[in-house]
Amino acid sequence: MSILIFAAGAALLIYSAEKLITYLVGAARGLAISVFLLAVIFTGIEFDDLVFGVALNLEGMEEVALGVVFGTVTSMVGVVLALAALLVPCRVEVPKDYLVLFAVSPLVLVGLAFVGEVGVGLAIGLIALFVAFVAYVAVRERTRAVPVFRDSEVMERAGSVRGGTASDDLSYTGDIPITAKRHLPGWALLGLAFLSLVGLIIGAWVMTEGTEGILDEFGIAGTVFGATIATLVLTLEDIFLTVEPARRGAPLIGIGNVIGSVVFSVTAKLGIIVLAGGDIEVTDDVFVWHLPALILLIAFSTYALWTGRLRRWHGVVLLVAYVLYWIVSFVVFGVLPADDD
């Protein structure tokens, strides 16, 4: 029964999160801002993971909440980026300064692991780091000669699909319409986004109820469950948002989703979860296993993107590494000791 409850909540959460993103981007289409910035804010900020993590911490399952943070980062590169490389190998030209920020972002968690606990002060600092990242991207996009994801090649593809000019419609990337309700005014799309947010919150709450039952029934360690099973469900939407744009000829939009999600997860998401639900202790298994695995996956992902072309063997390495991460997580760290009482 707990598995059915978890699955029902996950289905509602994924559907609502997808609608939330599409309606928000549709509402912002007339602002003529960088599509990269939109990708970072509206797909990089993991609304579903955030609500799920906050709900878990409020319910006293801080280990699962921390596991979701680590799991989001590992799955974004070990599953999402891996599948993009396997299914749609392609050229990607990401500015090197963005890749540097992507590569060093997990180092934030190294300091937290040494501290041993994330409290209010550190949480505020983490949120400030993400705000600084978004501000940096916004400034760089305004000053860059050809803003990332708004270059002529991508926009020409958008225009050719409609038989018009692309520059007047940033709701199109490649030949993917971000929302089919283009005829609605912005305020109506924002109203639909609000309804999607309500659905997202309900879905996260239902997932939390299912999670409690699963942990009790199967005796899985909280951090491991959050970093693997729960996170894989939350990753399904990111697979669509990364692989589908690459298949349609605009791969950098998906890469923006990956970069934004990783930076958001290790900074603001963890900070917001702590502020909403209380301090989170960083356990020994995080320092010994989850954090080193995360850093290695991000390092290889950075290398793959730095080469300027995603290749199938990049995807194979990332996916195999992620599978090994799952296996070790469950075999070595996953089973709770039996209760003698």
Side-chain angles (χ1 to χ4, degrees):
M1 185 63 181
S2 297
I3 295 177
L4 292 177
I5 293 174
F6 181 87
L12 176 59
L13 185 146
I14 292 170
Y15 175 81
S16 300
E18 183 69 23
K19 290 298 182 182
L20 174 64
I21 292 169
T22 57
Y23 291 143
L24 283 175
V25 174
R29 59 193 288 263
L31 299 178
I33 62 176
S34 167
V35 181
F36 175 74
L37 191 58
L38 288 179
V40 168
I41 295 174
F42 296 130
T43 66
I45 296 178
E46 301 282 345
F47 295 100
D48 51 349
D49 292 40
L50 176 61
V51 174
F52 184 48
V54 168
L56 288 169
N57 202 22
L58 286 172
E59 291 289 335
M61 292 182 285
E62 61 274 2
E63 285 190 0
V64 187
L66 183 61
V68 169
V69 172
F70 279 89
T72 298
V73 179
T74 54
S75 64
M76 285 302 299
V77 294
V79 177
V80 176
L81 188 62
L83 289 178
L86 281 169
L87 299 176
V88 196
C90 56
R91 182 177 298 278
V92 289
E93 297 180 2
V94 183
K96 296 300 188 288
D97 51 343
Y98 293 167
L99 289 180
V100 169
L101 292 174
F102 173 67
V104 302
S105 59
L107 298 182
V108 172
L109 298 177
V110 176
L112 298 181
F114 278 108
V115 172
E117 185 177 71
V118 184
V120 173
L122 288 176
I124 295 173
L126 290 172
I127 296 172
L129 282 177
F130 182 71
V131 172
F133 169 72
V134 173
Y136 176 79
V137 170
V139 171
R140 291 288 284 139
E141 289 301 285
R142 290 183 66 87
T143 59
R144 195 181 301 277
V146 181
V148 179
F149 306 159
R150 198 170 57 181
D151 59 47
S152 58
E153 182 181 358
V154 171
M155 299 311 293
E156 283 172 6
R157 285 197 191 98
S160 64
V161 172
R162 304 180 61 203
T165 60
S167 60
D168 62 351
D169 192 349
L170 291 183
S171 67
Y172 272 74
T173 51
D175 61 350
I176 307 169
I178 297 299
T179 175
K181 296 179 171 58
R182 299 189 311 277
H183 60 283
L184 293 179
W187 64 265
L189 290 173
L190 286 176
L192 290 172
F194 175 77
L195 293 178
S196 299
L197 181 61
V198 173
L200 185 149
I201 294 172
I202 295 174
W205 176 79
V206 174
M207 277 185 72
T208 303
E209 295 299 308
T211 297
E212 290 183 294
I214 291 173
L215 293 179
D216 291 339
E217 292 174 20
F218 296 96
I220 301 174
T223 305
V224 172
F225 180 83
T228 53
I229 296 175
T231 301
L232 184 59
V233 174
L234 297 172
T235 303
L236 294 178
E237 72 187 61
D238 292 303
I239 293 175
F240 172 82
L241 290 171
T242 301
V243 174
E244 187 66 7
R247 190 179 72 82
R248 298 290 185 89
L252 289 181
I253 297 171
I255 303 304
N257 176 38
V258 172
I259 293 175
S261 295
V262 168
V263 176
F264 176 72
S265 294
V266 300
T267 56
K269 180 163 74 175
L270 180 56
I272 294 171
I273 289 173
V274 170
L275 289 181
D279 296 358
I280 290 181
E281 181 182 357
V282 182
T283 55
D284 291 340
D285 59 335
V286 169
F287 190 79
V288 172
W289 171 242
H290 297 291
L291 184 55
L294 182 154
I295 291 174
L296 288 175
L297 280 168
I298 292 296
F300 184 81
S301 301
T302 302
Y303 159 75
L305 294 173
W306 198 282
T307 65
R309 180 180 291 274
L310 278 180
R311 304 179 186 273
R312 284 197 170 91
W313 73 268
H314 294 151
V316 171
V317 171
L318 287 171
L319 195 57
V320 169
Y322 187 72
V323 171
L324 290 175
Y325 170 72
W326 264 62
I327 293 173
V328 174
S329 293
F330 273 100
V331 172
V332 179
F333 300 99
V335 180
L336 293 173
D339 190 350
D340 294 332
D341 295 335

